Amino acid sequence: MGKRRARARVWPLLAAALVATLPAHAQAPAKPARLGLCAACHGETGMAQIPGAPNLAGQPLPYLREALKQYRDGRRNVPLMRAAIGPMSDADLDELARWYSAQTPHVQGNP
């Protein structure tokens, strides 16, 4: 019986140690301060609010980072986007890219 009690005490400790070694899930990014203007067209969760605006939810982070820089710098010539994000820093663009890439896309019905 002594060995059983010892095992009964050891198992929870082993389980806790195992859980502690597992990688932690990445925490969802905080909502960016500059999200408002983007959300007007692309939606707060990355699902477009107006026809012609692309859904951004779940897009790859590197793609969104680069696309935003290209819009800001004029390499993608879309005046509305350049006006919206022209004054944003790389850190602002990174926050937006992280936010939208972390969102889960969902199927929208036909209007």
Side-chain angles (χ1 to χ4, degrees), residues 42-63:
H42 299 287
E44 188 170 297
T45 62
M47 300 305 292
Q49 300 299 300
I50 62 172
N55 293 328
L56 302 179
Q59 292 292 324
L61 179 58
Y63 167 76

Side-chain angles (χ1 to χ4, degrees), residues 63-100:
Y63 167 76
L64 289 175
R65 277 183 182 142
E66 184 59 25
L68 287 170
K69 287 179 184 178
Q70 289 177 8
Y71 285 123
R72 180 193 62 194
D73 301 341
R75 290 177 281 155
R76 288 190 184 194
N77 189 18
V78 179
L80 179 62
M81 286 295 296
R82 183 134 193 227
I85 63 173
M88 291 189 193
S89 68
D90 283 350
D92 290 333
L93 298 182
D94 190 58
E95 277 187 334
L96 291 166
R98 284 184 185 282
W99 172 261
Y100 280 124

Side-chain angles (χ1 to χ4, degrees), residues 1-14:
M1 279 297 231
K3 285 185 181 182
R4 267 195 185 161
R5 282 189 178 166
R7 282 189 209 148
R9 287 186 214 143
V10 170
W11 283 113
L13 295 173
L14 288 174

Side-chain angles (χ1 to χ4, degrees), residues 15-28:
L18 178 62
V19 168
T21 64
L22 295 175
H25 290 285
Q27 189 175 15

